Amino acid sequence: NAGVTQTPKFQVLKTGQSMTLQCAQDMNHEYMSWYRQDPGMGLRLIHYSVGAGITDQGEVPNGYNVSRSTTEDFPLRLLSAAPSQTSVYFCASRSTSGKNIQYFGAGTRLSVL
Amino acid sequence: GQQVMQIPQYQHVQEGEDFTTYCNSSTTLSNIQWYKQRPGGHPVFLIQLVKSGEVKKQKRLTFQFGEAKKNSSLHITATQTTDVGTYFCADGSSNTGKLIFGQGTTLQVKP
């Protein structure tokens, strides 16, 4: 039972490089989201999706793109990495019915030099 | 936009002491969730509160939802070293399903 899987676990980028953080869930959850976690700032919502083909911006969307072509996958794209995007990124999913529990992936630690 | 403020940001206690973290909102919340994140780990769901004045217990943890549904608290009785981590409250009021998290309270327990 994999739950929410994020890859990679660690990544170092140079300023201006692009990359995609992968997220997949096997629980058939409609809702998926991306957060970044910085010291003293808690978990800040970047983008979220309520189903395949539907995405919306969260609190801190600038510099990030997302797409949701399938229920299972919700990749996060950094088009031109900046040092301010150094952070820990968490993907999460939840069902829109039932107990409303949000499940998190193990996280991706990203450093932008 | 909607925000939940959480205090304190950090708390150091001696093992066996009690601990409380508070979550406050300027608007009425339809529900609030609590999560725990161990050092180096990811947030894990603890509980959801929905009703005004609701109190729920999980062993040494007591969760409360205020009568006005604008605040919530998590109280740990007789802390243990296994309680170390960051505790987050999250506002689940959005009709889009998104969760907005407080800044978290990081608990350190000295053995």
Side-chain angles (χ1 to χ4, degrees):
Chain A
N1 192 2
V4 180
T5 303
Q6 286 184 240
T7 56
K9 287 186 169 26
F10 302 94
Q11 184 72 49
V12 179
L13 292 178
K14 294 181 180 178
T15 297
Q17 285 185 317
S18 63
M19 81 159 295
T20 300
L21 307 186
Q22 302 291 346
C23 177
Q25 52 94 7
D26 61 359
M27 297 173 281
N28 202 32
H29 286 167
E30 303 89 344
Y31 184 85
M32 296 185 75
S33 53
W34 277 101
Y35 293 87
R36 61 177 289 174
Q37 184 173 29
D38 303 290
M41 303 294 287
L43 293 159
R44 291 184 292 171
L45 183 64
I46 304 172
H47 284 285
Y48 65 99
S49 169
V50 298
I54 306 169
T55 64
D56 206 347
Q57 296 181 350
E59 303 165 274
V60 288
N62 292 340
Y64 307 95
N65 283 346
V66 292
S67 59
R68 184 98 180 266
S69 56
T70 66
T71 299
E72 295 78 18
D73 300 299
F74 191 44
L76 178 72
R77 296 183 186 85
L78 284 71
L79 297 179
S80 179
S84 60
Q85 294 179 304
T86 293
S87 188
V88 180
Y89 291 85
F90 288 102
C91 179
S93 76
R94 64 195 279 202
S95 172
T96 55
S97 61
K99 287 195 172 181
N100 227 19
I101 297 171
Q102 182 146 283
Y103 297 88
F104 285 82
T108 295
R109 293 183 179 274
L110 176 68
S111 292
V112 183
L113 307 178
Chain B
Q2 177 71 33
Q3 281 190 332
V4 286
M5 305 302 294
Q6 201 172 342
I7 56 170
Q9 188 173 355
Y10 299 99
Q11 185 82 57
H12 297 250
V13 300
Q14 199 73 37
E15 188 173 23
E17 292 181 338
D18 292 356
F19 159 78
T20 305
T21 174
Y22 301 91
C23 191
N24 297 294
S25 172
S26 57
T27 60
T28 302
L29 305 170
S30 61
N31 67 79
I32 195 156
Q33 297 186 358
W34 286 91
Y35 290 77
K36 177 183 178 181
Q37 183 181 25
R38 294 183 186 276
H42 59 276
V44 175
F45 175 85
L46 292 176
I47 209 159
Q48 176 172 274
L49 304 172
V50 179
K51 299 177 183 176
S52 168
E54 190 170 15
V55 178
K56 288 188 175 179
K57 292 190 176 183
Q58 291 179 350
K59 297 182 180 178
R60 294 177 294 103
L61 277 60
T62 302
F63 303 84
Q64 291 189 331
F65 203 7
E67 293 289 343
K69 299 183 73 175
K70 289 185 175 183
N71 58 77
S72 181
S73 64
L74 157 59
H75 180 82
I76 302 178
T77 303
T79 54
Q80 300 175 358
T81 55
T82 54
D83 296 325
V84 164
T86 301
Y87 294 85
F88 292 97
C89 61
D91 169 23
S93 302
S94 171
N95 56 10
T96 63
K98 61 183 180 181
L99 276 180
I100 301 298
F101 283 78
Q103 300 93 326
T105 297
T106 298
L107 173 64
Q108 303 266 25
V109 179
K110 298 177 189 176

